[in-house]
Amino acid sequence: MAERALLERELWRTLEAVHAVVYFAPGAKAAYGALGLRGYWMGYFASRSAALGTPGPRLVTALFYGFAPRMVERALPDAWAFADRARVLDTRSELARSALAEHAGDGLADAADLLASVLAALDVAGRPLAAAHLDVPVPADPLSRIWHAATVLREYRGDGHVAELVAAQVDGAECHLLHGGSLVSQQREFRGWTEEEWADAGERLRARGLLDAAGEKTPRGHELRTEIERGTDRSAAAALRTLGASELRELCDGLRPVAESLANSGAVPYPNAMGVARPA
């Protein structure tokens, strides 16, 4: 059981790297700009949420969770007046495929097939972002199929993580401070919170005994964060239950070189604003 848990954690980190390449692709801002979207963040919010249809800022703020509402409101719903949803989805998929192509060798068809089997059995009840991306048409080539599956599964795990944060009564600003890490001081700007909102979030966490006066996690804060991560892992494990141990290992072995190349080249930088550990 312990070995399987380690393999699952490795796979989640690998899938995160594969999915995340689309956010750091050098041509992303220009590609979305060519569709009429203005600036990096309008491209980000529109492209990640387009699987939902043409959603407004309230829904996207709720599902993406860690962003200040005003940051989302600067992009949505205006993006849908500037760019066609189907073209946004196509552009995102092509950006991902092109970015991954430099880091992917031959022999990924088996990994694509294994991931397809996972998606075919995936129960997305209570997982709105995963469900929306599962409905996006699956591309034909193996590399694009892998990115599509990585995206569905990444959002599946993310939906569960948000549920854990809500259950722990840790809000969209507080979650960054509780997570900590080397980029915590920059997360306020990355996610659009004002200095006052950031300070208030810290005060709320201190009042609960989760942060100390210096803004560091207390033992109680470490315990809560650990429990949130464990709960996320427990919830996410359901997605992989159709894979036997040998299949899980095969998938990790097949995708590990791609994730390592992405990390080693800086195509997906670590640390980053997503707060996910570098693939092992």
Side-chain angles (χ1 to χ4, degrees):
M1 184 63 70
E3 181 183 359
R4 182 178 177 90
L6 289 173
L7 283 171
E8 288 178 353
R9 176 56 66 90
E10 178 184 349
L11 182 59
W12 288 121
R13 290 178 178 178
T14 297
L15 292 172
E16 179 73 25
V18 170
H19 164 77
V21 70
V22 75
Y23 303 129
F24 302 101
K29 183 177 178 180
Y32 294 132
L35 301 181
L37 300 176
R38 301 173 178 176
Y40 174 85
W41 286 109
M42 182 175 280
Y44 169 85
F45 286 116
S47 63
R48 189 179 168 204
S49 70
L52 296 160
T54 54
R58 191 184 302 276
L59 175 60
V60 171
T61 300
L63 296 181
F64 289 13
Y65 203 70
F67 290 92
R70 75 179 63 80
M71 188 171 182
V72 186
E73 290 163 2
R74 286 197 289 268
L76 301 176
D78 290 355
W80 312 123
F82 302 144
D84 177 74
R85 169 189 177 259
R87 291 186 66 199
V88 171
L89 285 170
D90 288 344
T91 298
R92 188 185 199 219
S93 180
E94 177 53 31
L95 277 168
R97 189 203 62 76
S98 178
L100 283 175
E102 300 177 37
H103 306 276
D106 297 328
L108 289 174
D110 288 345
D113 288 343
L114 274 175
L115 287 170
S117 73
V118 172
L119 296 195
L122 197 62
D123 179 0
V124 290
R127 312 271 183 166
L129 275 175
H133 285 87
L134 190 59
D135 277 346
V136 173
V138 181
D141 66 283
L143 193 54
S144 294
R145 289 168 60 206
I146 286 171
W147 184 80
H148 172 263
T151 297
V152 173
L153 292 170
R154 186 258 195 176
E155 299 293 15
Y156 180 99
R157 193 177 193 281
D159 286 334
H161 186 61
V162 168
E164 292 290 329
L165 290 169
V166 171
Q169 298 183 38
V170 176
D171 68 28
E174 295 167 359
C175 64
H176 304 297
L177 293 165
L178 186 64
H179 186 281
S182 60
L183 291 183
V184 67
S185 62
Q186 300 173 51
Q187 284 292 75
R188 182 188 68 78
E189 182 178 352
F190 288 158
R191 297 299 183 249
W193 301 100
T194 66
E195 291 184 3
E196 182 179 3
E197 289 166 338
W198 203 247
D200 288 346
E203 284 300 322
R204 292 193 297 274
L205 293 174
R206 278 187 282 276
R208 293 176 62 184
L210 301 174
L211 294 184
D212 62 21
E216 299 296 327
K217 286 189 289 292
T218 63
R220 187 175 171 186
H222 279 288
E223 181 181 355
L224 179 59
R225 186 195 165 194
T226 298
E227 183 50 41
I228 289 170
E229 294 301 325
R230 285 175 178 165
T232 302
D233 285 343
R234 287 193 298 268
S235 173
L240 307 177
R241 62 189 172 193
T242 58
L243 296 176
S246 62
E247 293 172 314
L248 187 58
R249 189 174 294 105
E250 179 184 348
L251 198 49
C252 287
D253 290 344
L255 295 179
R256 186 185 302 114
V258 181
E260 288 178 347
S261 178
L262 290 167
N264 292 338
S265 68
V268 177
Y270 293 89
N272 58 56
M274 294 173 293
V276 178
R278 185 186 180 99

